[in-house]
Amino acid sequence: MVQKYQSPVRVYKHPFELIMAAYERRFPTCPLIPMFVASDIVNEFKSEDAAIHIVERRCKLDVDAPRLLKKIAGVDYVYFIQKNSLNRRERTLHIDAHNETFSNRVVINEHCFYSVHPDNEDWTCFEQSASLDIKSFFGFESTVEKIAMKQYTSNIKKGKEIIEYYLKQMEEEGITYLPRWMPSITHSSEINTSSSGRPVSPALNIPVTASKDSMNCMDVVNSSGSPTEAMTGTPDDKLDADYIKRYLGDLTPLQESCLIRLRQWLQETHKGKIPKDEHILRFLRARDFNIDKAREILCQSLTWRKQHQVDYLLETWNPPQVLQDYYAGGWHHHDKDGRPLYVLRLGQMDTKGLVRALGEESLLRHVLSINEEGLRRCEENTKVFGRPISSWTCLVDLEGLNMRHLWRPGVKALLRIIEVVEANYPETLGRLLILRAPRVFPVLWTLVSPFIDDNTRKKFLIYAGNDYQGPGGLVDYIDKEIIPDFLGGECLCDVPEGGLVPKSLYRTPEELENDDIKLWTETIYQSASIFKGSPHEILIQIVEASSVITWDFDVCKGDIVFNIFHSKRAPQPPKKDTLATHSITSLGGNNVQLIDKAWQLGRDYSMVESPLICKEGESVQGSHVTRWPGFYILQWKFHSMPACATTSLPRVDDVLASLQVSSHKCKVMYYTEVIGSEDFRGSMTSLESSHSGFSQLSAATTSSSQSHSSSMVSRSTH
């Protein structure tokens, strides 16, 4: 398995020329990196005007590995080839390194890049990416990988320290400024400005004496052919190391890399419409920074949020009066760590009465609104306290808990709520304080605990009776001044006291079922299943030409082809029986076919847009300006892998892709709308769907659209 690393942008608040001078002091050896024994220049090139300086070195490393492993491998030292390409005109340095030793068994690549800060020409940015691929190593592949990653991460941490060490050394020598490069007077043909259009300073020849900041040769880069391209892009697309520390916390280099790589994947597939960094980080933490697992649950959660419009919950959810009167929970200041504090008087709450009066879905919606408010408060507290706060503390008072709370439908509702919250709000609970647990609590705990994640369970602190009042109790986690009055504190807690819900407010199961259906079908999206040979089709009748058909759909499973057809006559409506070939109903959504098999393309109907192939996880938004009235059919069709044109054998990529599809079934979630010609003002950008996005979780929303003669398509991926 290939191990990859991508660093955040690290900023030195010093000019590029000073950083280069400090960097060169690392060669031929660096006392701050004991494993870096020596380096020899094997090739060197300088342009006549001294703007370009390319140096290739052979570096000798004494890797900290078990003696037995070195003996088996038959080597004492590991050699790397490092190529430094300095462009003084552009003020950039590209560093590429790869291993020479065991190159047929282990492939290590590293790319580092120094450049001028985009917003301050007197600052310097540093980025680094790497890859490690151990093909075989005498049966010690796992051991070698661990050694490489360990030394790699330790060298990453030293990188900035080393540059700052040599900067300080230069300052002690009186070197605090170095002029920029400028063309020699004899080279009159050269342009006397920098690449940014600003006049350049006098020439500078940095002496090739010695140093090393990117010689983290056990770090490892981007295995995609062009590491330079991997480093380019707008500054806003990249994370700054100082920003990570301030707003996200202290992460290890590998954790930073996981965050950046998952964030990059989301940027590439969502075209900039991605969740906030702290939200991405929660899902990574929930899966121990396994990128593939974190990406899977994050995409599922984003689809869930979009389908049920959870992003707008705080704006749209208005708790029924029953909840306002009898739901004994509310926010109450913060704990000693600055986390928002939520107080729940579960023992005083009539869970049976609330379920009978409101239904399971209303309770779930209310709990989701609490979690959404918790996310908002975490952001707010991060700004107030000047340190990253990504979770909240929950204080649960069980005084009054009895067998009534073990009512089966109530427990079922609780388990459902726990399941939804665990799936969509991971790592948001920083600590759970359970107070005054009665004898019946172990019964409830036995029922609930299997549904709670192991990491979450470790955050539970349970106190029986009045134990919470002594040492190790509440005062260790909450300031004495804000301990609620009902727990013996002096602070008035504005949380409803709960109590029994009057039976006059109870509703019949039929009424609750109807409300539940209405609550969770209040979504503009519909679901459909697509089978091999059975596309899903919807009909849109257009009365007036120049109307605009808009769509927004997510490919939840499999790969599909999206088509738009036009017909002057209406297709026959599908049959209602589920056994008919034209209409299939499944748990995953409907499947309706409208185009009669006797119809011929070009005679009975025509294609008005080029087919659009959409991969699993993609989200597609677009529009089509109709040229004629009539009947338009939007079709989602199963995408089969095409056979290779030059050979009868399938391509390796096609085989691997086909193995990922477990069955000939795809799922889509879609929304369509027609804008009348009288409402259309001719601005294609105004047609983008306003319903697709992550309004609460997105740090920024931008669009990437591909405009054709009559349509616009914007693609992104979950």
Side-chain angles (χ1 to χ4, degrees):
M1 180 179 177
V2 179
Q3 295 286 346
K4 293 184 178 182
Y5 170 78
Q6 174 64 56
S7 76
V9 178
R10 306 192 189 279
V11 178
Y12 297 95
K13 296 182 180 180
H14 298 278
F16 177 80
E17 289 70 26
L18 269 181
I19 297 298
M20 291 300 98
Y23 172 78
E24 284 297 327
R25 295 194 174 208
R26 300 178 62 176
F27 298 101
T29 61
C30 178
L32 298 179
I33 308 179
M35 65 178 289
F36 184 45
V37 178
S39 64
D40 300 311
I41 296 177
V42 293
N43 283 306
E44 185 171 10
F45 166 79
K46 285 185 180 180
S47 63
E48 291 184 8
D49 60 0
I52 306 298
H53 187 192
I54 300 174
V55 180
E56 188 172 328
R57 293 181 175 90
R58 188 169 186 259
C59 303
K60 182 179 179 181
L61 303 182
D62 184 8
V63 179
D64 184 15
R67 178 173 294 184
L68 176 61
L69 184 61
K70 287 186 176 181
K71 189 173 182 180
I72 293 173
V75 297
D76 291 321
Y77 300 100
V78 175
Y79 290 90
F80 275 75
I81 301 298
Q82 185 193 50
K83 181 180 178 181
N84 292 1
S85 302
L86 174 64
N87 187 326
R88 293 190 177 96
R89 180 186 291 109
E90 302 290 340
R91 302 179 78 196
T92 61
L93 173 66
H94 288 275
I95 306 166
D96 292 285
H98 66 273
N99 62 307
E100 181 184 76
T101 308
F102 299 120
S103 58
N104 60 331
R105 295 178 178 273
V106 179
V107 179
I108 299 175
N109 288 296
E110 178 187 51
H111 179 76
C112 302
F113 181 48
Y114 286 91
S115 62
V116 178
H117 194 286
D119 299 324
N120 189 330
E121 62 180 18
D122 291 326
W123 291 359
T124 306
C125 295
F126 172 75
E127 296 176 67
Q128 176 181 357
S129 61
S131 66
L132 167 67
D133 184 10
I134 301 178
K135 301 180 182 299
S136 65
F137 204 86
F138 313 106
F140 291 92
E141 292 80 12
S142 178
T143 302
V144 171
E145 181 178 296
K146 290 177 181 177
I147 292 172
M149 297 307 291
K150 180 181 178 181
Q151 297 203 357
Y152 161 60
T153 52
S154 66
N155 285 343
I156 291 172
K157 293 177 181 178
K158 290 180 181 177
K160 191 170 183 178
E161 296 174 7
I162 293 169
I163 288 290
E164 290 173 346
Y165 169 81
Y166 286 119
L167 285 171
K168 186 177 181 181
Q169 188 181 82
M170 291 166 60
E171 185 180 355
E172 292 171 351
E173 296 172 6
I175 304 173
T176 57
Y177 169 78
L178 290 172
R180 296 185 193 176
W181 175 92
M182 68 174 292
S184 303
I185 297 175
T186 55
H187 295 276
S188 57
S189 60
E190 294 287 343
I191 300 174
N192 199 31
T193 58
S194 70
S195 61
S196 61
R198 293 185 292 269
V200 293
S201 303
L204 164 68
N205 284 320
I206 300 177
V208 186
T209 48
S211 131
K212 162 176 185 359
D213 168 42
S214 181
M215 216 18 249
N216 302 334
C217 282
M218 291 306 290
D219 341 26
V220 252
V221 214
N222 197 315
S223 54
S224 68
S226 175
T228 304
E229 292 179 4
M231 291 297 179
T232 60
T234 60
D236 292 340
D237 292 337
K238 300 175 182 179
L239 288 183
D240 180 277
D242 294 334
Y243 161 82
I244 290 177
K245 186 172 183 179
R246 165 64 178 83
Y247 291 98
L248 303 178
D250 290 318
L251 304 179
T252 68
L254 293 184
Q255 288 174 345
E256 287 178 338
S257 175
C258 289
L259 172 62
I260 292 165
R261 287 166 56 202
L262 180 53
R263 189 176 184 270
Q264 284 177 342
W265 180 84
L266 288 167
Q267 282 177 327
E268 292 167 3
T269 54
H270 283 84
K271 308 302 181 187
K273 208 161 42 176
I274 65 172
K276 293 178 181 177
D277 299 320
E278 53 265 40
H279 197 66
I280 300 173
L281 187 58
R282 288 185 181 104
F283 282 85
L284 281 167
R285 282 178 171 145
R287 290 299 178 266
D288 295 324
F289 286 87
N290 182 307
I291 290 183
D292 293 333
K293 292 180 179 179
R295 178 168 53 193
E296 180 182 357
I297 60 172
L298 176 57
C299 289
Q300 290 172 355
S301 179
L302 293 179
T303 300
W304 170 83
R305 295 184 69 89
K306 185 174 181 180
Q307 184 173 12
H308 298 297
Q309 302 181 73
V310 178
D311 291 334
Y312 310 104
L313 195 56
L314 288 179
E315 304 166 15
T316 59
W317 173 245
N318 185 22
Q321 192 61 44
V322 177
L323 274 175
Q324 297 180 41
D325 293 340
Y326 296 100
Y327 190 88
W331 294 99
H332 180 75
H333 301 285
H334 55 80
D335 69 5
K336 286 188 174 182
D337 296 320
R339 297 189 185 106
L341 176 63
Y342 190 82
V343 175
L344 181 65
R345 303 184 67 178
L346 185 60
Q348 301 298 314
M349 196 158 63
D350 181 8
T351 53
K352 179 178 180 179
L354 288 173
V355 172
R356 292 288 300 273
L358 295 167
E360 184 178 317
E361 302 302 339
S362 287
L363 277 176
L364 175 58
R365 276 275 167 127
H366 189 60
V367 173
L368 294 182
S369 72
I370 293 170
N371 281 269
E372 290 296 303
E373 174 66 15
L375 295 178
R376 189 193 67 78
R377 286 175 178 259
C378 284
E379 286 186 41
E380 193 176 276
N381 285 19
T382 296
K383 297 174 184 176
V384 170
F385 292 100
R387 60 178 183 272
I389 295 170
S390 61
S391 59
W392 51 83
T393 292
C394 187
L395 187 157
V396 180
D397 179 24
L398 296 183
E399 176 71 20
L401 190 76
N402 54 46
M403 294 303 293
R404 182 181 176 86
H405 291 87
L406 301 181
W407 180 57
R408 183 174 291 275
V411 173
K412 176 175 170 288
L414 177 60
L415 295 179
R416 167 109 186 281
I417 290 170
I418 291 173
E419 183 181 19
V420 173
V421 170
E422 284 278 307
N424 298 286
Y425 300 91
E427 297 299 314
T428 53
L429 182 66
R431 183 179 294 119
L432 180 65
L433 302 170
I434 299 176
L435 310 183
R436 303 197 280 194
R439 291 183 178 181
V440 74
F441 172 71
V443 180
L444 181 62
W445 178 248
T446 302
L447 295 171
V448 171
S449 61
F451 295 87
I452 300 173
D453 180 77
D454 287 341
N455 289 336
T456 304
R457 241 184 288 175
K458 295 174 184 176
K459 301 170 185 176
F460 285 33
L461 294 171
I462 303 171
Y463 300 89
N466 294 322
D467 291 349
Y468 69 90
Q469 295 177 343
L474 272 187
V475 289
D476 283 14
Y477 307 102
I478 301 173
D479 288 329
K480 186 177 180 181
E481 295 76 21
I482 64 168
I483 293 179
D485 51 350
F486 63 85
L487 292 175
E490 300 176 357
C491 185
L492 182 63
C493 185
D494 189 21
V495 171
E497 295 183 2
L500 294 177
V501 177
K503 291 187 178 181
S504 60
L505 298 177
Y506 285 12
R507 306 175 71 188
T508 65
E510 291 76 16
E511 290 175 324
L512 292 175
E513 185 177 357
N514 291 336
D515 278 0
D516 287 351
I517 293 173
K518 180 181 177 183
L519 194 62
W520 281 109
T521 54
E522 286 178 345
T523 171
I524 57 177
Y525 295 93
Q526 299 182 56
S527 296
S529 295
I530 295 111
F531 304 90
K532 193 171 185 180
S534 299
H536 177 69
E537 297 161 346
I538 63 172
L539 181 66
I540 297 176
Q541 184 175 1
I542 297 297
V543 177
E544 186 179 0
S546 297
S547 296
V548 182
I549 302 172
T550 66
W551 58 83
D552 178 0
F553 65 85
D554 292 336
V555 185
C556 303
K557 179 182 179 183
D559 299 342
I560 60 103
V561 180
F562 178 62
N563 289 303
I564 307 176
F565 302 105
H566 172 262
S567 176
K568 293 181 180 179
R569 59 192 178 105
Q572 292 295 320
K575 298 178 182 179
K576 297 298 182 182
D577 58 303
T578 56
L579 296 177
T581 58
H582 289 283
S583 180
I584 302 173
T585 302
S586 70
L587 293 175
N590 293 323
N591 177 280
V592 177
Q593 296 163 58
L594 299 171
I595 299 176
D596 195 289
K597 291 184 178 180
W599 279 19
Q600 291 185 12
L601 185 63
R603 184 192 71 183
D604 301 290
Y605 66 110
S606 60
M607 182 179 290
V608 296
E609 288 288 346
S610 300
L612 185 66
I613 298 174
C614 307
K615 300 294 185 180
E616 179 175 323
E618 284 191 347
S619 178
V620 180
Q621 300 86 36
S623 60
H624 173 81
V625 182
T626 61
R627 300 172 68 180
W628 317 279
F631 300 91
Y632 287 81
I633 299 171
L634 273 57
Q635 181 193 73
W636 291 268
K637 183 180 179 181
F638 185 89
H639 176 56
S640 300
M641 290 294 172
C644 185
T646 58
T647 175
S648 59
L649 294 174
R651 297 179 302 165
V652 174
D653 290 346
D654 293 341
V655 173
L656 293 175
S658 64
L659 291 175
Q660 294 176 356
V661 181
S662 58
S663 64
H664 299 304
K665 179 181 178 182
C666 303
K667 290 183 181 179
V668 294
M669 185 176 71
Y670 65 91
Y671 166 75
T672 62
E673 185 178 1
V674 177
I675 302 175
S677 58
E678 67 277 5
D679 299 323
F680 175 47
R681 300 290 180 262
S683 172
M684 297 307 295
T685 56
S686 68
L687 300 177
E688 283 198 88
S689 171
S690 61
H691 301 286
S692 177
F694 315 114
S695 62
Q696 299 298 324
L697 296 177
S698 177
T701 299
T702 59
S703 64
S704 175
S705 56
Q706 181 180 4
S707 188
H708 302 286
S709 59
S710 63
S711 73
M712 179 199 70
V713 175
S714 175
R715 307 178 65 151
S716 58
T717 303
H718 289 321

